[in-house]
Amino acid sequence: MILLAIVTTLLLEQVWPLAPRNPVLDALRHWAQAVARNVDAGAPQHAWLAWTLAVLGPTLAVALVHVALTWLAGWPLALLWTIAVLYVSLGFRQFSHHFVAIRDALEVGDEERARQLLARWQQVDESSIARGELVRLVLEHSVLAAHRHVFGVMLWFCLLEVVGLGPAGAVFYRQAGALARDWRASGSSPDAPVSAALADVTQAAWAWIDWLPARCTALALAIVGSFEDAIDAWRRHADRFGNANDGVILAAAAGAVGVRLGAMPARAAPGQPLGEVALGTSPDDALPGEAPSVLHFARVVGLVWRMVALWLLLLALLTVAHVLG
């Protein structure tokens, strides 16, 4: 059922991609904003309560519907519900349009439009994107987006599917990741400004939730890419990035593809502007590999699709082992 749900969802979203703004994601966003307005009072205990309601509320709702459908209608309706939840939570087409538009602009030499598109994607001021770092930033954000929209969701779905609550795991991961993006600093969300305590709690919870998925993604990158180089970069350079979990992924990706994904400051503040994500002051401060270029876009895309094939192969083997067992 896990393999069938994931394969169906990936095929479905390739044919009918979900719009970036849709009623389901808007409802989750409005729910989080309402919780922040009514619960966030600036104290740590209020921050934890707000985060719990914003994340576990939708998670428990999805879990209850899944259990009810399983008990009352059997696995066919439960499978349809699982596919519906995964369709909203998982998929390349939820971010790939940004990547494709920026890549196309760079391939025709329109760097200014590429900078505008990247700023719109990451919701930052265009002037904060350093010229000359554009290709590197696109590669980094694309790898991280693939992790957060696909591989991290798949892992949490599989983990909770062990106890029969797979769709809840997908919602849990995506909602926690969305809040980590929107609540990364006090006042970072103009629609629902949050306190410093809630921003800190959100980032701490996300670091824990994404710890295992980040390392599974990094290992998969090593397996489908240059294994020795990816593991070496992971071991030696992961701490050069601002976020520990993101650093593991980006260092492994740099080694797997052989591209120099220049180092973020070792302990960058959450929500740091893209313009401050700069190369180090010496060659030793940057990851080894070729300088980023448009040619690396195709390599990264190929790497990501090989990771999808690896995940599906592992799930297929587990499915066969379960059936034979």
Side-chain angles (χ1 to χ4, degrees):
M1 185 165 161
I2 295 177
L3 179 62
L4 179 60
I6 291 177
V7 171
T8 302
T9 302
L10 290 175
L11 293 175
L12 189 63
E13 69 113 20
Q14 290 295 317
V15 179
W16 292 292
L18 188 69
R21 298 300 299 265
N22 59 82
V24 177
L25 295 182
D26 284 344
L28 290 174
R29 190 177 297 109
H30 292 324
W31 164 253
Q33 292 171 355
V35 169
R37 283 194 303 268
N38 293 284
V39 180
D40 181 22
Q45 61 268 28
H46 298 135
W48 278 112
L49 177 60
W51 184 90
T52 301
L53 290 173
V55 175
L56 295 188
T59 301
L60 289 176
V62 169
L64 289 175
V65 172
H66 185 69
V67 171
L69 289 175
T70 302
W71 284 358
L72 299 176
W75 69 266
L77 279 183
L79 177 61
L80 290 177
W81 172 249
T82 297
I83 294 172
V85 173
L86 284 178
Y87 179 68
V88 176
S89 306
L90 180 151
F92 289 103
R93 301 294 290 273
Q94 296 183 24
F95 71 91
S96 62
H97 57 286
H98 296 292
F99 171 80
V100 171
I102 297 171
R103 181 197 62 189
D104 292 346
L106 288 173
E107 285 181 345
V108 298
D110 192 349
E111 183 177 320
E112 186 60 31
R113 173 160 176 75
R115 292 175 72 244
Q116 294 173 357
L117 291 170
L118 179 58
R120 190 182 310 162
W121 178 18
Q122 295 302 313
Q123 299 178 358
V124 297
D125 180 20
E126 180 187 339
S127 62
S128 67
I129 302 177
R131 291 184 180 274
E133 294 295 289
L134 185 57
V135 174
R136 178 176 69 84
L137 291 172
V138 174
L139 290 172
E140 290 180 358
H141 287 299
S142 299
V143 171
L144 292 177
H147 165 69
R148 293 168 185 164
H149 285 264
V150 181
F151 304 113
V153 177
M154 288 171 62
L155 180 64
W156 270 97
F157 169 73
C158 293
L159 288 176
L160 265 69
E161 185 62 27
V162 173
V163 294
L165 298 175
V171 173
F172 175 71
Y173 182 84
R174 277 302 302 272
Q175 183 71 347
L179 296 187
R181 182 192 65 240
D182 295 339
W183 293 354
R184 57 179 172 256
S186 178
S188 60
S189 175
D191 297 325
V194 300
S195 66
L198 182 52
D200 291 342
V201 163
T202 303
Q203 298 306 317
W206 175 243
W208 177 82
I209 291 168
D210 200 36
W211 189 91
L212 180 60
R215 282 146 186 83
C216 289
T217 295
L219 181 59
L221 284 165
I223 292 173
V224 300
S226 177
F227 185 84
E228 292 184 0
D229 292 336
I231 295 299
D232 182 66
W234 176 356
R235 180 176 59 85
R236 296 176 54 193
H237 301 290
D239 60 351
R240 296 186 182 276
F241 294 84
N243 179 288
N245 291 332
D246 291 352
V248 168
I249 297 169
L250 293 175
V257 180
V259 61
R260 187 184 310 129
L261 298 181
M264 297 180 183
R267 286 174 176 79
Q272 184 177 26
L274 289 176
E276 297 178 16
V277 179
L279 289 171
T281 56
S282 71
D284 292 336
D285 289 331
L287 291 169
E290 301 175 0
S293 69
V294 178
L295 296 177
H296 289 106
F297 289 153
R299 297 186 195 177
V300 169
V301 170
L303 194 74
V304 169
W305 279 112
R306 290 198 298 274
M307 289 174 62
V308 172
L310 176 64
W311 266 94
L312 296 180
L313 176 61
L314 290 175
L315 290 175
L317 292 176
L318 290 174
T319 301
V320 171
H322 177 72
V323 172
L324 295 179

